Amino acid sequence: MKKLLMVLALVSVSFSAMAQDDPTLKYSVATNSFWSNWFIQVGAQWNAWYSAEEHGAGLDRSPLKDFRSNPGAAIAIGKWFTPGLGLRTKLAGIWGKSVRAVNGDGKGFFNKYWVLNEHALFNVSNMLLGYNPDRVWNFIPFAGAGFGRSMTHNRYGMDLSVGLLNEFRLSRKVFLNLELGWNRFETDIDGMDLFLDPANRGWDSHDNNLYAEIGLTFNLGKGTWDKVPDVAAIKALHQAELDDLNNRLSDANAEIDRLNNLIKNHQCPKAVDEIIGAPATVYFYCNKTNSGPSYSRDLVDVRALAKIAADKNTNVLVTGYADSATGNPEHNQWLSDERAKTVAEEVIGMGVNRDKVTTVGKGGVDILSPFELNRRAVVEIR
């Protein structure tokens, strides 16, 4: 298992020499809210300890040797503030090994520990190639600091941390992680300082913890970035629409002026009378002959028509209707007759000679939709 993890980690780093996706156009992104672009990471590690007491001891330095390496686990929570810059808090550890046993047999012993680090993340892929929410692979170096504790030996130590995180997109919400990291502690925390040379300041002057990790990243909430709107293009579009509306308004005003001149210069009273004298309609409530939803307003149109008929002494026809959806045929016939008579009396009261007004009832009909509109009387000049 440990060899497989190491091979996967090395393969992930080798991808840095390959093209990961087609070049994309770089563009600015809008700033998201504080609660956007958070993530959680979980992973399994294989860690190796290089201790301060190794100086001059001639110990094998391979991280694959059993006397210095062990499996571990890690969990982290973080946030991306831009597509290229983020922070995470990472807790790792559980099982480690010191390189020497207390009895000096060289086989090592278990060292339970934990390391808590704050890392600054740099998504080089987004920084160099531009943000792409569908990119398959993101290359993310990181650096940070924190502290650790050996629970076996009850020791604490501050540390500096660097590493490489590779994220492979499985979906918009889930990524596969391959990570290599190095924690360098300021004091000896693995419990084995018997051979420490205080004058030594090289690689093995401090305890060093190296690890390879495989895990998953889960994006929380909104994990993508929106492109900044092209304000100039939006303004140009709005201006074009405004210009088009102004042109239409100018054309409409010109047409109104032309029609007004025609009426003024050519005097078209007949045409005007025909427009004003168009049929007028009065609507009624269900089973009513003298009231309706717009009865008074409808009579305004009837009054204009009645004035023309009175001035020209023309005939007026009032036709009554009922809706066929309600009532029986006999009752609907009566309703249509009464509605026609009601409106005819209104017309006569507006100055039209009674002898010039004729009424007719059409009974129940379904000419108009919805069917309520069939409850009406229509006034026409004949």
Side-chain angles (χ1 to χ4, degrees), residues 25 72 77 102 106 146-147 156 158-159 221 262 275 303 317 329 332 342 347 349 358 372 378:
L25 293 176
I77 183 170
V102 175
F147 63 96
Y156 292 87
M158 303 295 294
D159 79 300
L262 285 176
I275 295 174
R303 183 172 288 104
L317 173 64
N332 285 338
T342 297
V347 171
T358 304
E372 292 90 345
V378 179

Side-chain angles (χ1 to χ4, degrees), residues 27 29-32 36-37 79-85 126 131 133 222-227:
Y27 58 82
V29 296
T31 301
N32 287 336
S36 300
N37 305 102
K79 171 179 170 58
W80 289 101
F81 295 92
T82 73
L85 180 62
N126 284 337
Y131 171 65
K222 179 179 174 61
T224 56
W225 303 82
D226 297 326
K227 183 176 180 180

